[in-house]
Amino acid sequence: MAQDAVQQAPAAPATPARALLPLILPALVVGVGAGLLLVGVSAAAGKLQDVLWQTLPDALGVGGYSVLWMLVMLISTGVAVGLVLWKVPGHAGPDPATTGLNARVLPPAVLPGLVLATGLMLAGGPSLGPENPIIAVNVGLAFWLGRRFAPRAPGELWVALAEAATIGALFGTPVAAALVISEALAGKQLTGPLWDSVFAPLVAGAAGALTATLVAHPSFDLHLPALGRPGWGDLLAALVVASLAALLGMAAVYAFPYVHGAFAGLGHPMLALPAGGLVLGLLAALGGHLTLFKGLDEIAVLARDPDGWSAGQFATMTVVKLAALLVAASCGFRGGRIFPAVFVGTAFGLGAHALVPAVHPALGVAAGVLGVLLAVTRQGWVSLFTAAVLVASPAILALLCIASLPAWLLVTGRPQMQLREDGTPVR
């Protein structure tokens, strides 16, 4: 028989359970610690945001989201973060344009400045999320403490645990961590079954997710109307929206090195960051206050009334938010690109629904987020997962899997929204 002629390589031996059991306790400790740090930084930034955007303008008798106040706050945030990068030891870590979800291990002295720069950014309004810097901080802390108290454990273990724990806490579920880890392991030679390699990170991701859920109660479900039984029109809409959103995201990707080079040419953080804040303030004046901040609270506002804006207004918010993401990631603000990209995809999908009412709003949002995230992150599983959890509609998942195929063909092999140290794009 043909099956007998096929020579299969012997399967790698599984890791004994006694070798995995000792990993549970450190994974739990890292997971809880990473979740608490994320929640703590986010909560502190939220309190400061309330003071800066509500208490202070009310006390001064100006509108919290007036054009003047948005300009003042974003320029001031640029000055504050610029001072951190200039004066604080470690300069808040490497250029964020060169970082992704896979964080390098930073010296402990760098971490306080990175936390401070991230908190100021989150409160001040630039269009970036906490994911990249918080992952870097958790990786640095886990590596330093792990090598100190368990020197025999390999350093790579602490990096994997911290990354998984933070991603689990960010999304409120260890599934996201498992998907990221599985994708990262795809090109590596494993010494055993995949599940052995993800066992400890999955424990850390679960601990981080449960910690964040119990303390902060995060939710990504936008509570959009559920899609019923999908038809051929829905499949066509998913294919078109996801592909167009991927092309839109790629436009920002191709512009990224040029915008970054323009800000880098200013030569000093006290020039580049206030200049970036000025541009962000002007963009906020054009797009409105919903285009400020990381974007998760703002997409919930859009989703509560998906028919409350015209197609032109959604298009304006889409372009402005994408431009704000591009500027904030280029001028030196410490932050990640996933959450503002989710806003871009949501506004794009709702704009498609406003332009063509036959496009279901939940399907438009999911397909739009999928396409933009594929272009910006180049991580297929995370893009699919994020798009799916925003709408919590099982009927959409199959459509998204199909729509991801042409969108992936548009982005694969092309530059990523991440630069090398010399300023050239990562491919």
Side-chain angles (χ1 to χ4, degrees), residues 19-409:
L20 296 177
L21 287 173
L23 301 176
I24 294 178
L25 180 58
L28 290 173
V29 172
V30 172
V32 172
L36 289 175
L37 190 140
L38 171 66
V39 171
V41 172
S42 299
K47 295 292 186 181
L48 180 58
Q49 178 182 328
D50 291 340
V51 171
L52 296 178
W53 292 92
Q54 296 180 21
T55 306
L56 189 55
D58 288 347
L60 296 174
V62 298
Y65 293 114
S66 65
V67 172
L68 175 61
W69 191 253
M70 290 191 291
L71 282 168
V72 168
M73 282 310 309
L74 285 159
I75 294 172
S76 300
T77 301
V79 172
V81 176
L83 284 171
V84 174
L85 270 61
W86 181 25
K87 294 295 186 180
V88 173
H91 309 291
D95 183 349
T98 65
T99 64
L101 292 180
N102 297 321
R104 67 191 76 174
V105 178
L106 300 176
V110 176
L111 305 183
L114 182 54
V115 171
L116 179 59
T118 303
L120 292 171
M121 181 279 300
L122 290 172
S127 293
L128 293 173
E131 58 273 20
N132 291 10
I134 297 300
I135 288 174
V137 171
N138 280 330
V139 165
L141 286 173
F143 184 87
W144 180 68
L145 293 173
R147 296 304 295 267
R148 182 178 179 87
F149 294 103
R152 295 184 179 180
E156 295 81 3
L157 171 66
W158 305 111
V159 173
L161 294 181
E163 289 181 349
T166 312
I167 293 170
L170 281 164
F171 290 94
T173 170
V175 175
L179 294 175
V180 172
I181 296 165
S182 299
E183 201 161 6
L185 292 174
K188 297 182 179 180
Q189 184 68 37
L190 302 180
T191 58
L194 174 64
W195 203 251
D196 286 346
S197 298
V198 303
F199 178 82
L202 189 57
V203 173
L210 285 173
T211 300
T213 299
L214 293 172
V215 176
H217 313 291
S219 176
F220 283 80
D221 188 0
L222 296 180
H223 303 289
L224 287 164
L227 176 70
R229 182 176 180 179
W232 291 109
D234 296 315
L235 175 59
L236 177 61
L239 291 168
V240 172
V241 172
S243 298
L244 290 178
L247 289 174
L248 178 66
M250 286 306 301
V253 170
Y254 276 107
F256 189 43
Y258 299 101
V259 178
H260 179 268
F263 283 107
L266 295 176
H268 197 283
M270 288 304 293
L271 295 176
L273 282 155
L278 173 61
V279 176
L280 292 173
L282 295 173
L283 287 170
L286 177 63
H289 71 276
L290 289 178
T291 58
L292 293 169
F293 306 107
K294 64 182 180 182
L296 286 188
D297 293 335
E298 289 71 26
I299 62 172
V301 175
L302 297 181
R304 280 198 292 269
D305 188 11
D307 298 311
W309 290 267
S310 67
Q313 290 173 312
F314 279 123
T316 299
M317 286 190 282
T318 299
V319 174
V320 167
K321 188 67 172 182
L322 187 61
L325 164 60
L326 184 59
V327 171
S330 299
C331 69
F333 285 111
R334 270 41 181 174
R337 300 176 279 275
I338 290 180
F339 291 144
V342 169
F343 181 100
V344 174
T346 300
F348 184 87
L350 291 176
H353 165 70
L355 185 65
V356 183
V359 177
H360 193 279
L363 179 60
V365 166
V369 169
L370 171 66
V372 174
L373 283 180
L374 283 175
V376 170
T377 70
R378 213 57 53 85
Q379 295 191 346
W381 287 122
V382 171
S383 302
L384 272 169
F385 169 80
T386 305
V389 298
L390 287 173
V391 298
S393 177
I396 290 179
L397 185 56
L399 299 177
L400 291 179
C401 290
I402 298 172
S404 69
L405 302 178
W408 182 254
L409 291 176

